[in-house]
Amino acid sequence: DGGITQSPKYLFRKEGQNVTLSCEQNLNHDAMYWYRQDPGQGLRLIYYSQIVNDFQKGDIAEGYSVSREKKESFPLTVTSAQKNPTAFYLCASSQGVGNEQFFGPGTRLTVL
Amino acid sequence: GIQVEQSPPDLILQEGANSTLRCNFSDSVNNLQWFHQNPWGQLINLFYIPSGTKQNGRLSATTVATERYSLLYISSSQTTDSGVYFCAVPQGGFKTIFGAGTRLFVKA
């Protein structure tokens, strides 16, 4: 089955630790995205990548980092510099500019 | 940047009722998506509808791009329709702007 997978489903982090969220897609899409969702809110763009080895900051990139070494994978690292990292993180992909986006199941990150 | 407004913010329906959700956007767009976020957080694609009308079972959507709005119709609502409905539009390049959502609860 084609789709997007994210892991882990739930993640707990102590303050001061970096954590990495995984996102993999087998849809052969060029573009991938990371969004953050806070309770009762819409989605905000953290980073996006148009092609391998290229990525751009979104609206709330501070405290986050990404890499795009493979077309299928777009991991997100939440660093200790992110002041309020507790949120729901969603990964998406699309074929290209303006095309329909498809989402993974999300990762819930809680900072203890 | 482009603004996206959804209404109503909250909606409670009795099972079997029909409803219309609205998405207004402040600038011309070349595509629009409707999503359903289920209680577990998964975003499910409903429609990719830059203009015109599409139907999928009990759901249909209409986008009038020249008047900058889109409507999502839910007929004969079921409890499984509960969740949050988002519309999203592109803003230059790869950026997508999401509305704040309409929270729907369908009572049995």
Side-chain angles (χ1 to χ4, degrees):
Chain A
D1 287 337
I4 303 173
T5 58
Q6 292 186 241
S7 62
K9 190 177 180 69
Y10 298 95
L11 186 57
F12 298 91
R13 188 194 93 174
K14 293 182 180 180
E15 284 192 20
Q17 287 182 335
N18 293 352
V19 291
T20 297
L21 283 57
S22 170
C23 177
E24 304 276 335
Q25 56 99 359
N26 61 4
L27 299 170
N28 200 33
H29 285 169
D30 290 317
M32 297 186 74
Y33 315 78
W34 274 106
Y35 292 90
R36 170 180 171 140
Q37 186 179 30
D38 292 289
Q41 304 295 316
L43 279 68
R44 292 183 291 168
L45 182 65
I46 305 173
Y47 267 98
Y48 65 92
S49 169
Q50 301 182 39
I51 56 173
V52 174
N53 294 322
D54 180 74
F55 48 83
Q56 305 295 329
K57 293 182 179 180
D59 296 319
I60 55 166
E62 185 176 353
Y64 300 97
S65 66
V66 293
S67 63
R68 186 86 186 276
E69 297 177 1
K70 298 187 300 182
K71 187 176 185 177
E72 302 80 18
S73 178
F74 191 38
L76 173 74
T77 297
V78 184
T79 74
S80 57
Q82 169 51 233
K83 301 301 182 189
N84 185 21
T86 295
F88 187 50
Y89 291 87
L90 287 155
C91 178
S93 71
S94 68
Q95 186 58 51
V97 177
N99 288 64
E100 187 174 6
Q101 288 190 26
F102 296 87
F103 283 81
T107 292
R108 292 192 185 277
L109 173 63
T110 302
V111 174
L112 304 174
Chain B
I2 193 168
Q3 305 295 315
V4 180
E5 295 183 355
Q6 292 188 243
S7 60
D10 298 282
L11 184 60
I12 299 174
L13 297 176
Q14 190 67 45
E15 195 171 28
N18 303 330
S19 65
T20 301
L21 282 58
R22 187 177 181 101
C23 174
N24 291 334
F25 39 95
S26 60
D27 203 350
S28 59
V29 299
N30 56 17
N31 73 66
L32 182 144
Q33 285 191 253
W34 281 100
F35 297 93
H36 174 215
Q37 187 169 39
N38 66 22
W40 296 271
Q42 174 80 56
L43 272 169
I44 299 164
N45 290 42
L46 296 178
F47 295 101
Y48 176 71
I49 181 168
S51 64
T53 297
K54 290 186 177 180
Q55 181 152 9
N56 184 3
R58 295 180 297 103
L59 274 60
S60 64
T62 296
T63 296
V64 184
T66 54
E67 297 187 22
R68 301 180 184 173
Y69 73 88
S70 183
L71 302 174
L72 178 68
Y73 305 95
I74 304 175
S75 64
S76 303
S77 58
Q78 300 176 358
T79 56
T80 52
D81 294 332
S82 296
V84 184
Y85 290 80
F86 290 103
C87 67
V89 299
Q91 178 183 287
F94 280 80
K95 191 169 180 179
T96 298
I97 306 299
F98 284 77
T102 292
R103 286 154 189 77
L104 173 64
F105 179 67
V106 181
K107 299 187 296 182

